[in-house]
Amino acid sequence: MSDTMSDEQDLSRNEVADHLQTLAREIRGEGPADVTVGNKSVALDPASVIEYDIAVEERSPMLGGEREAITVTLDWEVESTE
């Protein structure tokens, strides 16, 4: 089974930085990480090694307006507790 939650908001730079710092604090260390998505909280169990992928996109004004985007992906195998 696969569940996906997403949330999109317009935030100030400082608010975005606060959300990223909160996420970083949750991922750091041992045990579960409580990740907030909109008005919900999800408990995740990050592995000791996490696949980290970052991509930056710069779109030309010729393609409908100048925009920049950053996509960060964190991916890990869930470790079995059995």
Side-chain angles (χ1 to χ4, degrees):
M1 183 169 99
S2 175
D3 289 335
T4 301
M5 284 183 259
S6 66
D7 180 50
E8 185 174 319
Q9 303 176 53
D10 291 327
L11 302 172
S12 71
R13 288 173 68 157
N14 285 337
E15 289 170 320
V16 170
D18 289 344
H19 282 276
L20 292 171
Q21 287 175 329
T22 298
L23 179 59
R25 276 193 302 273
E26 287 295 326
I27 292 172
R28 187 179 309 275
E30 301 294 321
D34 293 322
V35 178
T36 302
V37 181
N39 62 354
K40 296 182 180 180
S41 182
V42 181
L44 301 175
D45 193 16
S48 58
V49 175
I50 297 174
E51 182 180 319
Y52 171 82
D53 179 42
I54 185 166
V56 175
E57 178 185 355
E58 298 175 293
R59 187 168 66 192
S60 164
M62 295 175 61
L63 299 174
E66 191 171 356
R67 290 191 61 89
E68 299 172 328
I70 298 173
T71 302
V72 177
T73 303
L74 306 175
D75 192 15
W76 60 87
E77 293 284 330
V78 177
E79 296 174 357
S80 176
T81 58
E82 296 178 14

